[in-house]
Amino acid sequence: MTIEATLRSRVSDAFPQALVLLENESYKHNVPEGSETHFGMTVVAEEFESMPRVKRHQAVYGLVSDLLDGPVHALALHLYTPEQWRERNQQSPMSPECLGGGR
């Protein structure tokens, strides 16, 4: 299974009713073509309604911490309740361009 599929699967399994949007952003960085090292993930889940923002991040990072210790260099998380997602017009923030790595 690819790293991208593993990330998506773990979060979807933990939050079965959630909207999970995942983008491999590795191509924006100074890594070999086809890399799976940089990701942006948006999760919209009702479970987040009872969680402060820090707890949401801890919950998701806990699902993928082994990947962050290994092949994944960066994971940008955008975690919303359904109401917050509607207020954002169902738009995830854009990741900034890479500024390092000899690019």
Side-chain angles (χ1 to χ4, degrees):
M1 184 180 298
T2 65
I3 295 167
E4 183 173 352
T6 300
L7 284 166
R8 184 182 309 280
S9 174
R10 289 186 188 178
V11 174
S12 294
D13 288 350
F15 302 99
Q17 301 301 313
L19 169 67
V20 178
L21 304 174
L22 181 64
E23 181 182 358
N24 182 348
E25 299 177 339
S26 302
Y27 71 93
K28 297 178 180 180
H29 300 273
N30 189 24
V31 296
E33 188 173 329
S35 291
E36 292 185 287
T37 57
H38 297 72
F39 292 91
M41 178 183 280
T42 298
V43 182
V44 181
E46 289 183 11
E47 292 90 338
F48 293 156
E49 290 179 10
S50 63
M51 292 182 187
R53 292 179 67 188
V54 170
K55 292 290 184 190
R56 296 175 193 181
H57 281 76
Q58 289 171 338
V60 175
Y61 280 133
L63 299 170
V64 300
S65 63
D66 62 316
L67 299 174
L68 296 171
D69 286 339
V72 177
H73 175 73
L75 176 61
L77 293 179
H78 311 289
L79 309 175
Y80 304 108
T81 66
E83 182 178 338
Q84 290 168 330
W85 184 238
R86 283 189 296 276
E87 289 171 0
R88 290 193 56 79
N89 295 317
Q90 300 179 346
Q91 295 290 317
S92 298
M94 304 253 323
S95 293
E97 292 298 318
C98 178
L99 298 176
R103 225 176 187 196

